[in-house]
Amino acid sequence: MEVRRTVPVKLDVADSDADLLHETISEFLWAANYVVDHAWQGEYKTTSKAELQRETYDDVRAETRLQANLVQNARNKAAEAVKGVVARWKHGDYAGKPNFSAPTLVYDKRCATFNDDHATLSTVEGRITAEYVLPDESRETPHSEYLFNDDYEVTGAELHYRDGEFYLHVRTKADVESETADDGNDEHSTVLGVDLGIENVAVTSTGTFWNGSEVNHWHREFEKRRGSLQQRETRAAHETIQSVGRTETGRYDHFLHTVSKELVAEAIANDCDVIAFENLTGIRERMPRAKKFHAWAFRRLFEYVEYKAEIVGISIGQVNPEYTSQRCSKCGTTLRENRQTQERFCCQKCGYEVNADYNAAKNIGLKYLRAAQTSSDGGAPVDVRLNRGMLNVNGEYEPAYEGQNGSPRESPTLNEANGDAVSE
C-alpha cells in the first residue's frame, strides 16, 4: 500500500533570501486569491483546473514575477479550495468563498530541489539555497524515518512562515507492505477528542479545559483601543494601529502556541495516536456568538497542533460536528433539549449531566473512531481516551484498570448550584 508522510524541517536562510521568500509568498497568495475570484464569478463556480489555467494564467504571469510552475501551483491550490466548497454545498453544509492569507507557498519538484541537508527554492528573483536545521542524526525522528529513508520519495513541500522562522513541510511517499498482521490482530489506536469554543478555547475528551476568558478580554480591549485610534484619523494614529495589531497578534500567537503544545502533550500522556477536531468550515454559523477573530484563532490553533503533532508522529483528524453538542456521550440520545445552556448538558433520557464542551469533545472522538472503523480501508480498532478509561466504537465504556495510562481525575459534571465542574 502507499504511505504518505509529511516532515516539518526548519530552514536556515540568509536575510536577503528571506526577503525574497516573503515576496514570493505574497505574490503566490495574490495569485491564488485571484484565481478564486475568477472561479467565483457567476452562479456556477469553476472548479476545472484546465479551464482556470486557460482563463487566468496569462493574467497572473503578467501581474506577478512568479515562474510558470509556481503559477500552476497557486492555481491548483485555488481550484482545490473552490472544489472543496462546492462539495460541502452538495452535502448541505455552509461554506464561504475561500481566501488565502496564511504565509504559505506550495513547491513541487519542478520549482524546488530537495537534498539531504538543503533545498533550492524558486523565488521571484531566481533560486535560493535554504539549509536544513536538522536534529541529532542518532535520534529516532520523523526526519530519520522518512526524510532520510531511501524507501520514501520526496514528492513536494509547502513552505510555512511562523514565529519569525521558515519551515518546509516536506511531503514523502513510499510503497510498503501492510503492517496489519494476517490474524487480524491490528495495532490498537486511541483518539483524543477536542472541542473548540468561545468560553473554553479547547476541551479534550480527557477532561482538560483551556479557558478563553483572558484571550477574549484581550480582544475586547484591543478592539476598544483600535476604535479610539481610528477616530483620530491621523497618520500617527494609523501607525499606532498597525503597532497595536502586531502586539495583539503576537499575544494571541503565544497563547495559541501554549495551548497547542499542551494539547499535544495531553495526547502523548494518554498514549493517543490521533487528535480529532471538528471540521472548522462554517464554524461562525454554528456558533452565533463567534466573531471573525474566533474563527481565525480556531484555524490557527488547529494549524499549530497539526505541525506539532506531526513531529511526534500523532495524526490529526476532523469530523462533521453535526449533533456533537446535542448527543449524549453516555447513552447516545440526540435531542436539541439536551444542550440546555452554553455550559450545561443534561440528557433528557438517561439524566447524564456534564459540562457541555466536555460532552462534545467525547462525541467528536467517538465520531472519529466510528468513521475510522467503517472506512473502506478497514483500519485498526480505535478507542476514545477518557480520563477514566476507554470508550470503544460501540459506545461501551471500560473503566481504567490499575496501571493504565491516563488521568485519574473524575469526569467533570455540573454542580446545579453554581455550574462549576465537580466530580461525579
Side-chain angles (χ1 to χ4, degrees), residues 53-353:
Q53 172 78 355
R54 290 194 302 270
E55 297 175 353
T56 65
Y57 178 81
D58 290 340
D59 290 344
V60 174
R61 285 303 303 271
E63 294 293 330
T64 69
R65 295 170 290 167
L66 299 175
Q67 59 116 301
N69 293 323
L70 287 178
V71 172
Q72 293 174 14
N73 291 346
R75 176 213 64 203
N76 292 343
K77 187 178 183 74
E80 290 297 333
V82 175
K83 186 180 296 184
V85 169
V86 173
R88 288 192 287 272
W89 286 350
K90 291 180 179 178
H91 285 86
D93 297 330
Y94 173 82
K97 177 182 176 182
N99 180 69
F100 302 106
S101 58
T104 61
L105 167 63
V106 178
Y107 283 108
D108 58 27
K109 296 174 74 171
R110 301 169 302 171
C111 48
T113 303
F114 306 98
N115 299 287
D116 289 342
D117 57 0
H118 72 279
T120 62
L121 308 173
S122 293
T123 72
V124 291
E125 294 185 11
R127 291 206 176 199
I128 60 103
T129 298
E131 302 290 338
Y132 295 161
V133 180
L134 299 170
D136 185 349
E137 293 183 4
S138 62
R139 291 172 50 202
E140 185 175 339
T141 65
H143 305 76
S144 61
E145 189 172 358
Y146 308 118
L147 191 59
F148 304 138
N149 187 337
D150 291 338
D151 293 335
Y152 282 81
E153 174 192 358
V154 174
T155 60
E158 187 167 75
L159 182 69
H160 291 245
Y161 182 74
R162 60 177 180 269
D163 302 331
E165 303 286 353
F166 286 101
Y167 293 84
L168 202 60
H169 288 212
V170 182
R171 296 190 295 267
T172 67
K173 71 174 183 179
D175 290 322
V176 299
E177 294 183 3
S178 173
E179 297 176 358
T180 304
D182 292 338
D183 60 3
N185 185 23
D186 295 342
E187 182 182 357
H188 198 85
S189 296
T190 305
V191 180
L192 181 73
V194 181
D195 180 65
L196 303 177
I198 298 173
E199 298 303 323
N200 295 304
V201 173
V203 178
T204 67
S205 56
T206 54
T208 301
F209 289 63
W210 286 267
N211 190 273
S213 59
E214 186 174 1
V215 74
N216 287 324
H217 172 73
W218 295 340
H219 181 62
R220 288 192 297 269
E221 292 302 311
F222 280 120
E223 285 286 282
K224 291 178 183 177
R225 190 173 181 188
R226 262 195 299 271
S228 176
L229 289 167
Q230 287 171 349
Q231 291 178 358
R232 300 180 188 179
E233 298 182 350
T234 64
R235 180 179 179 85
H238 177 70
E239 292 175 350
T240 304
I241 289 173
Q242 292 180 319
S243 176
V244 167
R246 289 191 292 270
T247 301
E248 180 183 18
T249 301
R251 181 167 289 187
Y252 295 152
D253 274 341
H254 177 75
F255 173 79
L256 295 172
H257 264 302
T258 300
V259 175
S260 65
K261 181 179 179 180
E262 292 174 357
L263 268 170
V264 174
E266 183 79 2
I268 294 172
N270 289 279
D271 292 333
C272 296
D273 307 284
V274 180
I275 302 175
F277 291 83
E278 61 185 295
N279 191 304
L280 300 181
T281 302
I283 196 164
R284 290 184 67 189
E285 288 67 36
R286 301 196 303 272
M287 293 184 185
R289 297 171 57 218
K291 300 180 180 180
K292 185 176 181 181
F293 155 73
H294 294 105
W296 169 86
F298 296 150
R299 288 194 299 271
R300 185 63 65 91
L301 177 61
F302 177 83
E303 292 170 357
Y304 287 166
V305 172
E306 186 175 33
Y307 85 79
K308 285 181 171 68
E310 283 180 347
I311 294 173
V312 295
I314 295 176
S315 301
I316 299 296
Q318 288 184 302
V319 302
N320 186 329
E322 189 175 23
Y323 304 124
T324 53
S325 65
Q326 300 174 16
R327 181 187 184 277
C328 177
S329 59
K330 193 168 187 177
C331 74
T333 300
T334 303
L335 293 170
R336 183 186 297 272
E337 293 77 13
N338 286 347
R339 180 71 180 260
Q340 299 193 341
T341 68
Q342 287 294 323
E343 294 184 353
R344 186 171 185 263
F345 181 94
C346 184
C347 180
Q348 302 302 294
K349 181 178 180 180
C350 72
Y352 180 53
E353 191 173 359

Side-chain angles (χ1 to χ4, degrees), residues 387-416:
N387 55 26
R388 285 192 302 154
M390 309 291 289
L391 187 69
N392 66 25
V393 72
N394 298 315
E396 298 167 344
Y397 179 67
E398 179 183 347
Y401 52 81
E402 184 177 356
Q404 178 178 356
N405 290 328
S407 169
R409 294 166 296 178
E410 301 288 329
S411 300
T413 60
L414 285 177
N415 181 310
E416 290 185 352

